């Protein structure tokens, strides 16, 4: 099984770019919570060993790696809210979170490696989209870890305020428990109303009350 390497970053630097940021997002599929993105500029002399697509790592490993990244890399994490997701759609909102993450870096990068097949249209610096970039580029892998650890923590915190939906374990994704809780407990302010399962329940309740 292949692991991410630094070749995309090196190639960009050979083209004259000095600060290359890896960018990734997490949380496009959940029914609840924000979409979260991270931008990371690695220090080539202090790259934590074991960086990989966050989905391939245990929660414990991700926590260990984010601690090292916060110590040795320039890391920025940003979000787009549920309201923004419902207003502009999830793809645009995920790109907005990416743009905010890049803008939040301590030192502005001059090039970005973006996970996926699209470059956010609001980006003001040169960039390259890489499909499955979190499994290919160390910087994007680092960004995926940063975004996932932050969003998982946010959803855990929200789960304490809204028990029953299982957000502490499902992070807002449409698991059986989450779908049943939507039916039984109703829609919270943190649910994405433009997403079909949530929209359908609101529609059902509206019809019942009419």
């Amino acid at each position: 099984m292949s692991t991410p390497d630094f070749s995309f970053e090196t190639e960009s630097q050979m083209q004259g770019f000095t600060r290359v940021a890896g960018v990734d997002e997490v949380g496009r599929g959940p029914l609840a919570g924000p979409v979260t993105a991270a931008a990371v500029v690695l220090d080539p002399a202090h790259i934590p060993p074991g960086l990989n697509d966050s989905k391939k790592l245990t929660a414990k490993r991700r926590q260990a790696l984010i601690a090292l990244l916060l110590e040795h890399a320039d890391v920025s994490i940003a979000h787009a809210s549920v309201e923004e997701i419902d207003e502009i759609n999830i793809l645009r909102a995920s790109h907005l979170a990416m743009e905010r993450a890049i803008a939040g870096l301590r030192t502005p990068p001059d090039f970005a490696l973006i996970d996926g097949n699209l470059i956010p249209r609001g980006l003001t610096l040169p960039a390259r989209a890489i499909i499955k970039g979190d499994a290919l580029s160390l910087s994007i892998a680092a960004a995926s870890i940063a975004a996932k650890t932050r969003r998982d923590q946010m959803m855990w915190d929200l789960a304490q305020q809204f028990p029953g939906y299982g957000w502490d374990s499902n992070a807002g994704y449409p698991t059986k428990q989450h779908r049943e809780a939507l039916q039984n407990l109703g829609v919270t302010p943190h649910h994405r109303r433009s997403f079909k399962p949530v929209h359908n329940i609101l529609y059902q309740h509206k019809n019942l009350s009419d």
Side-chain angles (χ1 to χ4, degrees):
M1 185 176 65
S2 63
T3 54
D5 61 33
F6 209 62
S7 58
F8 288 98
E9 291 84 347
T10 302
E11 186 181 327
S12 303
Q13 288 165 349
M14 288 173 66
Q15 293 170 0
F17 299 106
T18 56
R19 282 183 58 80
V20 180
V23 187
D24 198 6
E25 53 72 30
V26 65
R28 277 171 62 166
L31 304 179
V35 62
T36 301
V40 176
V41 179
L42 292 171
D43 177 352
H46 295 96
I47 298 177
L51 291 177
N52 207 336
D53 172 2
S54 62
K55 297 184 290 295
K56 297 177 181 176
L57 303 170
T58 64
K60 185 178 179 182
R61 188 76 189 114
R62 288 194 296 267
Q63 288 294 339
L65 286 168
I66 189 61
L68 291 170
L69 288 168
L70 291 171
E71 185 178 348
H72 294 295
D74 189 353
V75 179
S76 171
I77 302 169
H79 315 276
S81 68
V82 166
E83 292 78 14
E84 288 170 324
I85 292 167
D86 287 339
E87 184 180 340
I88 61 176
N89 79 46
I90 184 60
L91 175 63
R92 183 71 194 101
S94 66
H95 283 179
L96 181 61
M98 286 181 170
E99 293 162 17
R100 288 171 174 166
I102 292 168
L105 288 164
R106 289 194 303 272
T107 305
D110 54 8
F111 194 80
L113 299 171
I114 308 287
D115 183 61
N117 61 350
L118 293 171
I119 293 170
R121 64 186 183 209
L123 224 52
T124 56
L125 75 166
R128 176 179 180 178
I130 304 172
I131 295 170
K132 297 194 184 303
D134 47 8
L136 298 172
S137 154
L138 284 169
S139 298
I140 297 177
S144 80
I145 292 164
K148 182 162 176 58
T149 51
R150 177 65 63 83
R151 189 179 187 282
D152 282 356
Q153 182 62 53
M154 289 177 69
M155 295 309 295
W156 190 92
D157 291 343
L158 285 175
Q160 314 315 302
Q161 301 169 46
F162 295 89
Y165 298 90
W167 293 343
D168 50 338
S169 58
N170 64 40
Y173 282 88
T175 59
K176 185 170 182 283
Q177 178 191 10
H178 191 179
R179 285 174 176 271
E180 287 176 353
L182 262 175
Q183 288 285 356
N184 298 328
L185 303 174
V187 176
T188 73
H190 300 285
H191 278 103
R192 302 172 180 180
R193 282 153 171 72
S194 57
F195 277 45
K196 199 166 185 178
V198 181
H199 174 80
N200 287 350
I201 285 170
L202 289 169
Y203 187 72
Q204 286 169 15
H205 289 176
K206 179 178 181 296
N207 284 349
L208 288 171
S209 62
D210 283 350

